[in-house]
Amino acid sequence: MRISKGRSQRLLGSAVAVTAGAALALGGTASLAQASGPHVIDGKGAAYNDWGDEGDLSRHSHANSNATRLWQTVLYADGAKWKDSNGNRHTFKKWDIDGSFGRKTESATKWWQQREDVEDVDGIAGKETFGVADDYLDGPGYNGRVTYSGYKHDVTFKRLGSTYYVKIGSEWKKAAYNWRG
């Protein structure tokens, strides 16, 4: 279980992300997520700053992908809540990790963003949301293991080379922004 970091650490992280984003924009370079080829969630060095340059996951962008599975695993780890059509809240469960960014994932993402003090509570897992989430990553360790310390569960991903993998059943699959990745 994690202890939430203070607002000052988030502001520092945001300043670093803005500075890095400005450098990329000025340099005319593609983001790391786009530069890595088959559009995968990627990183290098310590895991705690890997995801702040990732692309958007939403109902309208990369809605069916293993990158979505990775994000849904974060929602599960934190015990995110989603709201049904009657306004009742339900906990995001392990079986909700299906790689499809539907209304349930969007609602749970909004809940997560509000809990984590993300500026734009929009239900889109984008740079800011991923950048907050990666603060709770540790690794990589033995065999490329990266641990996300959630409020309810700790979960494990793999980062081999610079590419993240998510466990599906008994297999590790690239956390790609499309099914073919």
Side-chain angles (χ1 to χ4, degrees):
M1 303 258 180
R2 71 175 182 225
I3 298 172
S4 185
K5 295 183 178 186
R7 186 145 178 80
S8 62
Q9 288 177 319
R10 286 210 181 97
L11 290 174
L12 177 61
S14 294
V16 169
V18 167
T19 303
L24 285 173
L26 290 173
T29 330
S31 73
L32 291 176
Q34 293 173 346
S36 63
H39 296 43
V40 295
I41 294 182
D42 64 359
K44 62 182 179 181
Y48 67 84
N49 65 355
D50 274 353
W51 294 348
D53 65 345
E54 291 304 324
D56 290 349
L57 296 173
S58 71
R59 288 182 35 219
H60 308 290
S61 177
H62 308 292
N64 296 299
S65 66
N66 289 336
T68 296
R69 282 184 191 270
L70 180 140
W71 176 247
Q72 290 172 327
T73 302
V74 168
L75 295 174
Y76 160 74
D78 281 336
K81 308 282 186 199
W82 59 275
K83 195 183 294 186
D84 66 21
S85 58
N86 295 324
N88 298 315
R89 292 262 181 210
H90 306 275
T91 301
F92 204 86
K93 302 287 188 184
K94 198 169 197 171
W95 58 76
D96 293 321
I97 302 170
D98 61 3
S100 179
F101 202 114
R103 293 182 193 279
K104 190 183 294 187
T105 302
E106 181 181 61
S107 177
T109 300
K110 287 179 181 177
W111 179 93
W112 190 95
Q113 290 169 325
Q114 188 170 22
R115 181 175 185 169
E116 292 296 326
D117 248 354
V118 173
E119 188 174 330
D120 292 324
V121 178
D122 57 7
I124 297 170
K127 290 178 186 353
E128 182 186 10
T129 299
F130 271 121
V132 172
D134 72 7
D135 290 346
Y136 305 106
L137 292 175
D138 185 41
Y142 176 75
N143 204 14
R145 294 197 184 271
V146 174
T147 302
Y148 179 86
S149 298
Y151 285 106
K152 298 286 183 186
H153 312 279
D154 289 349
V155 294
T156 302
F157 303 108
K158 279 193 177 188
R159 193 182 82 194
L160 302 175
S162 64
T163 302
Y164 271 85
Y165 289 76
V166 62
K167 196 162 193 176
I168 302 172
S170 62
E171 295 183 45
W172 290 98
K173 301 281 187 176
K174 283 183 184 179
Y177 285 91
N178 60 47
W179 288 116
R180 293 184 305 268

